[in-house]
Structures are given as structure tokens and as C-alpha cells.
Amino acid sequence: MSAATHTHDHGHGHDDAHDHHGPPHGITRWFYTTNHKDIGTMYLWFAFTMFLVGGTMALGIRAELFKPGLQFFDPQFFNSLTTVHGLVMVFGAIMPAFVGFANWLVPMQIGAADMAFPRMNNWSFWLLIPAALLLMGSFLVPGGAAASGWTLYPPLIIQQGMSVDMTIFAVHILGASSIMGSINIITTILNMRAPGMTLMKMPLFVWTWLITAYLLIAVMPVLAGAVTMLLTDRHFGTSFFNAAGGGDPTMFLHIFWFFGHPEVYIMILPAFGIVSQILPAFARKPLFGYASMVYATASIAILSFIVWGHHMFTVGMPAAGNLFFMYATMLIAVPTGVKVFNWISTMWKGSMTFETPMLFAVGFLCLFTIGGFSGLVLAIVPVDITLHNTYYVVAHFHYVLVSGALFAILGGIYFWLPKWTGHMYNEGLGKVHFWLSMIGFNLAFFPQHFLGLAGMPRRIPDYALQFAEWNMWSSIGAFVFGLSQLLFLYNVVSTIRSGQKAAQKQWEGADSLEWTHLPTPLPYHTFVTAPVIK
Amino acid sequence: MEGHEPSAKQKRAAVISALVLAAVAVGIYLTVIAKFVVYG
């Protein structure tokens, strides 16, 4: 059961009156800030900027694939685009966006004044900037940006130019930032909760982030270890992954995917948390099966450590290994199914309305489930051997990460924007944004299932004529989806500048502390005295 | 006025938690590398 039903407004009606000093003025506010709201805002704007950068690369890819033959880019540059698009979206857009949500929401939802380590919080954010510059700057060095795919597989990655070193350094910095952010989130949740806020009263968003932060601390050092070894293979004469020196490129795949599969859940568990806050608010019912949602989230996180081999069924593992990874992967459908069941049960017989956040949450539920099902298809070893490295895989993970993670982010921003800014967004424009995103996304990625089943390989700039028609539709869909995000940008900026005043509890069914205990707009410092949760 | 200050007990617990988590992260990193340096 979430906290709200156990709480009452205790000593927080005076936040406005006590907010004697607001934020400092000028650019130094943002450089030196230790305020969790400021840092959350910076994370979200950084993530949106990187989303536009990575999205522009995606549109370049889709423009090239609009018709057969080489249109705009040479194959090397095309591969650089797919590589950096993946890295930017994973490490620059999706992950920082969720950290932005965590910064804004975790302290407020547990009744804390701020994060446990505000200065480290500032540092975690500002590390992102040099990492992003290194990643983008790698396009400008001789040989162009890394072109091995975001998975940085050897031997190709060992043979490329200095852009790879820049990428490796960027990954190290991003990893350090993620680990510091995770330490901050865990220590805040475990130590800074308001009196009476027991773990099982925390909103589900906080729970999903607690589990995600543990995942990050467990797997980011593994990625850091892998890329460190790539670096020493490239420059210091080691042969960890270099077959010419007795190393094993396949070993890199094992290490990378031991990080890589939990990374998928790092990008989706906070989305589960956001959706678990939105659906009850607009169904005007408590979340169905709160405890089972917590246990399912933890189960998914634990299982994510034993399924990495399903990314590499084609490398020649023993049949027993393939079978283990196949069945372990299918097992993840059980806790995920619990979650989908609970979300549907939350909506069942609810007094539902469909404002923009709810539209994105329901869109998430429908489309993420499709992505989950295609994941089950790919978990089947003989099927995966056929579909490996085809566009079916591309369709699958975009259903998980775009209509899953990104739709939850967009829905979450519409949901909390009134609370964050004190202004209400344009509902009509929000709905247009949702439907254009929904149509554009499905037009872009559903045909890729057909392309993959027909045998079109991924990461190629040219293709056989038989794939032309679905590629054309996919590219049209991608441009509709991509350009519709400019509507979102316009809506957010106009909300901040001139939106109508929002109510303290803008959404009738919202029940976490930021809605029930804090005014709108939020004061710069919240919870002057700690709330007591009954 | 800023938000309520965490108690000394909370601050101490937070520092201990952070140190343990940082040690875990560094330990995992070194273990991954040491495994391959020692065993190939």
C-alpha cells in the first residue's frame, strides 16, 4: 500500500512562508547548486538535449535507409551513426532522464529535505558534460567516431582510431557519474526517510529506483573493467580480447552482456515506477498488488544477472548453456507478467480519465508488452539463431526502450510538470503529441519486425530491393515520431513561461507526498520540518 | 530557511552506507580485471 493512505498533512502548510530565500541568481546557480530540484532539472534538460542529438542521428540513419542504395553517407559514417546513436540514447538520454526524475522525486516522496550527499550530486551531473563532449567530439578526429556498434565488440573496436579511446574515456566518466548517483540514491532512501516512512510505505517509483541503483553499482564496474581491458589491448600490449595474442573476443561478449542485460532493466525499472504512479492516479484507485509489485521488481533485477547469454546464442556456446539462458530468460516473463496483470487490475473498474500522462502510461502498457513478447520470441534459441542481428531485434529493443522507457519518461514529465513548474501544460497539444508519437513510433518500428523476419540485417546502409517498401514506411514513421517531439519541447517551454496556474493536487488520484504535503509551485527548499507518516 | 537537517545519526549512517557501496563498486571493478590478469 502506498504511503498516501497513511499520511496526513503534518506541519507543511508553511513551506511557502518559510521559504525565505530562493535560488541564487545567474549562471552560478547552476554550476554550484546542491539543490536536488535544480540538479534534477539539469539532468532532464541534458537528457532532452542528448535525446535530440541521438534522435537527429536516428533520422540520418532512417533518411539513408529510405530507399535502397547509398544516399547520403558512406558505410563507415553510417556505422558511426548507429554506434553513437546507441551510446547517446542509452547513456546520454534515457539513463540521465531517470536520474533527473530520481533527483526531483525521491527526496520529496520519502519526506527528506534533499539527497544525502548534495555536493556529490552536483559532481555526478557535471561529469556528464565532458563525457558528452568526448563522445560527440569523437566524430571530428581522423577515422571518425567509433563504428563497432554500441556494444564496442572486439576485434573491430581494437582496430579503430583514437575516437575509440575517447569513447572508452567517455564510458568511464559516465560510469563514475552513474555509480556516484546510485550511491546517493541508495543512501538517501535508506537513511533519510521521514519518521514513519517504512520501506513498504514508499511509493513504487522510489522502490524501483532503489533496486535500479543496486543494479547500477553491481554492473557499471563490470563495464568499466571491460573497457579498461579494451584500452590496455589497444595501447599497452595486452591481449585480453585480441585473438592474435592468444586472447578471446568472445570473452568480451560475456563480460559486456553481464553488464548489458541488467542495463536493460536499469533503463526500464524506473519506467515501471513512473507508470505505477500514473495509472492509479488516473484510475482513481490504489495500485493493485503493491507488495507483489515490489517483489516482482526485485525478482526481475535478480534474474537479470543470469540471462546475459541470450545475447550471444550464435557464438557457439554448448547446448546446455544455450538451454539454461533460454529458460532463465523465459522465467523473467513471470514477474513481468505479475506487473502487467497488476497494472491492468489497477485500471479495472477504475474511474478512468485519459489526460496526456495516462495516455502515455496506457501506450506504454500496450507497446512495452509487445516488446516483451518479441523478447520471448527471441529467447527461443533456434528462432534467435535465425533472427540474430536482423531488424527483428532492432524492432524488439525499440519497443522496449522507446515505447517502454521513453513513453514512461514523457508521461512522467506531463504528470509532474504542473507540480515542478507551478503551471499546467496545454492538454490539447499534449494529446496531439501523444497520438503523433504513437502513430509515428508504430509506423517506424512495427514494419521492422517484418523486415527482420524477411532477413534484413541490422547496421547496414544499403539493402536488397525486396526490403524497400517497409523501409520507406519505417523512415516516414521515424520522421513523424521525431518531429512530433518538437511539439513536446514547445509545450514544455510554453508551460514554464506562460502556462495556467496549477493546483496543489493537480491530479485527483495522486497520493504521494509531493501532491499531498507540498504546495504548488514547490518552494526551493521543501520539508522545513520532517513530515510524520502515520 | 533550508529544509530540515538530517540528524547526526542519519548523517553517520549515510556516510557508512556510501563507503560500503563505493567499496563494493571498486571491488567489483578490480575483481573483473584481476580475474583476467591472473587467469587469462
Side-chain angles (χ1 to χ4, degrees):
Chain A
M1 187 121 220
S2 73
T5 51
H6 297 273
T7 62
H8 67 278
D9 195 341
H10 184 87
H12 292 279
H14 304 295
D15 269 322
D16 276 331
H18 284 286
D19 190 31
H20 294 313
H21 72 267
H25 296 288
I27 194 76
T28 54
R29 167 185 176 180
W30 303 103
F31 281 130
Y32 301 139
T33 182
T34 53
N35 183 290
H36 70 101
K37 301 184 192 80
D38 280 352
I39 294 172
T41 300
M42 290 196 294
Y43 264 108
L44 288 169
W45 278 114
F46 173 83
F48 189 73
T49 305
M50 295 306 277
F51 172 63
L52 293 183
V53 170
T56 304
M57 291 179 198
L59 294 185
I61 291 166
R62 284 316 318 173
E64 178 60 52
L65 294 173
F66 182 73
K67 61 180 184 177
L70 295 180
Q71 324 299 327
F72 307 107
F73 310 128
D74 68 75
Q76 176 74 15
F77 185 74
F78 181 89
N79 284 344
S80 292
L81 280 182
T82 59
T83 300
V84 183
H85 162 75
L87 289 167
V88 162
M89 289 306 203
V90 168
F91 294 108
I94 299 291
M95 288 172 69
F98 283 132
V99 181
F101 274 96
N103 264 288
W104 260 104
L105 297 173
V106 165
M108 291 196 291
Q109 292 192 335
I110 63 172
D114 206 310
M115 300 292 273
F117 300 102
R119 289 185 181 86
M120 187 165 78
N121 204 15
N122 173 296
W123 195 21
S124 301
F125 170 76
W126 283 105
L127 278 178
L128 296 179
I129 307 299
L133 292 175
L134 275 170
L135 210 50
M136 300 314 303
S138 69
F139 274 105
L140 305 176
V141 300
S148 60
W150 84 280
T151 53
L152 310 174
Y153 280 176
L156 188 57
I157 197 77
I158 296 173
Q159 296 161 355
Q160 261 203 279
M162 71 174 285
S163 62
V164 174
D165 304 320
M166 296 169 78
T167 306
I168 288 172
F169 196 32
V171 169
H172 272 129
I173 296 172
L174 291 164
S177 165
S178 291
I179 289 169
M180 287 197 294
S182 301
I183 290 173
N184 224 336
I185 288 167
I186 292 172
T187 51
T188 303
I189 296 171
L190 294 186
N191 300 299
M192 302 295 166
R193 298 193 309 280
M197 177 60 82
T198 60
L199 288 175
M200 292 307 275
K201 284 183 188 169
M202 295 191 312
L204 210 75
F205 176 75
V206 180
W207 257 114
T208 55
W209 244 114
L210 178 63
I211 293 166
T212 300
Y214 276 116
L215 277 181
L216 273 164
I217 286 179
V219 300
M220 288 309 291
V222 177
L223 175 67
V227 296
T228 302
M229 287 187 276
L230 278 183
L231 194 70
T232 59
D233 271 10
R234 285 170 53 80
H235 295 295
F236 300 103
T238 62
S239 294
F240 292 112
F241 310 123
N242 187 356
D248 185 0
T250 306
M251 186 51 70
F252 180 86
L253 275 66
H254 281 288
I255 307 171
F256 180 86
W257 286 113
F258 186 80
F259 146 81
H261 201 78
E263 171 68 17
V264 173
Y265 294 103
I266 287 163
M267 288 187 282
I268 204 66
L269 293 184
F272 290 171
I274 290 172
V275 168
S276 299
Q277 304 258 172
I278 295 174
L279 288 176
F282 292 95
R284 293 163 179 81
K285 280 175 63 191
L287 183 69
F288 185 88
Y290 171 86
S292 66
M293 290 294 248
V294 173
Y295 298 136
T297 307
S299 304
I300 291 170
I302 292 165
L303 287 171
S304 73
F305 286 105
I306 59 166
V307 298
W308 78 89
H310 71 218
H311 293 275
M312 36 194 294
F313 282 143
T314 57
V315 301
M317 283 188 292
N322 280 348
L323 284 173
F324 170 80
F325 286 119
M326 178 173 84
Y327 289 126
T329 303
M330 289 178 169
L331 205 55
I332 294 184
V334 177
T336 310
V338 168
K339 285 187 160 295
V340 172
F341 177 84
N342 285 350
W343 287 324
I344 293 170
S345 300
T346 301
M347 291 190 289
W348 181 254
K349 293 190 175 177
S351 301
M352 285 197 289
T353 52
F354 292 92
E355 288 86 344
T356 308
M358 183 64 161
L359 288 175
F360 272 104
V362 175
F364 164 94
L365 188 50
C366 298
L367 300 183
F368 173 77
T369 306
I370 292 175
F373 274 129
S374 60
L376 279 177
V377 171
L378 288 169
I380 303 167
V381 177
V383 176
D384 182 81
I385 287 170
T386 304
L387 294 176
H388 187 77
N389 265 352
T390 68
Y391 259 84
Y392 192 91
V393 179
V394 178
H396 157 67
F397 69 72
H398 280 92
Y399 266 82
V400 173
L401 293 178
V402 180
S403 58
L406 181 64
F407 270 35
I409 290 168
L410 294 172
I413 287 173
Y414 281 116
F415 185 65
W416 278 290
L417 202 59
K419 177 56 74 176
W420 292 344
T421 64
H423 299 288
M424 185 59 187
Y425 62 85
N426 183 325
E427 188 65 63
L429 207 54
K431 287 180 175 169
V432 171
H433 171 224
F434 168 75
W435 284 111
L436 284 176
S437 295
M438 188 75 171
I439 293 166
F441 170 81
N442 281 293
L443 190 57
F445 291 104
F446 206 82
Q448 293 182 5
H449 292 105
F450 308 143
L451 289 167
L453 288 166
M456 179 169 163
R458 62 192 286 206
R459 294 171 177 150
I460 51 146
D462 191 8
Y463 50 82
L465 286 175
Q466 76 222 47
F467 304 127
E469 192 164 347
W470 286 125
N471 268 298
M472 178 192 74
W473 285 112
S474 181
S475 293
I476 291 170
F479 274 87
V480 171
F481 178 75
L483 294 176
S484 71
Q485 305 316 309
L486 297 177
L487 277 182
F488 171 67
L489 176 63
Y490 172 77
N491 204 353
V492 171
V493 172
S494 61
T495 301
I496 295 167
R497 292 167 69 94
S498 57
Q500 290 187 339
K501 191 169 168 19
Q504 178 188 335
K505 195 175 171 191
Q506 184 66 36
W507 313 115
E508 186 187 345
D511 65 359
S512 44
L513 292 184
E514 76 275 21
W515 299 106
T516 57
H517 282 58
L518 295 171
T520 298
L522 290 160
Y524 193 57
H525 299 292
T526 39
F527 291 127
V528 176
T529 57
V532 177
I533 315 300
K534 297 256 171 120
Chain B
M1 187 175 201
E2 297 195 10
H4 67 272
E5 274 282 300
S7 66
K9 189 179 166 193
Q10 279 179 310
K11 284 182 181 173
R12 192 167 57 247
V15 169
I16 293 168
S17 307
L19 289 175
V20 170
L21 292 166
V24 168
V26 173
I28 292 171
Y29 176 72
L30 294 177
T31 304
V32 169
I33 293 183
K35 192 267 173 201
F36 292 100
V37 169
V38 176
Y39 298 107

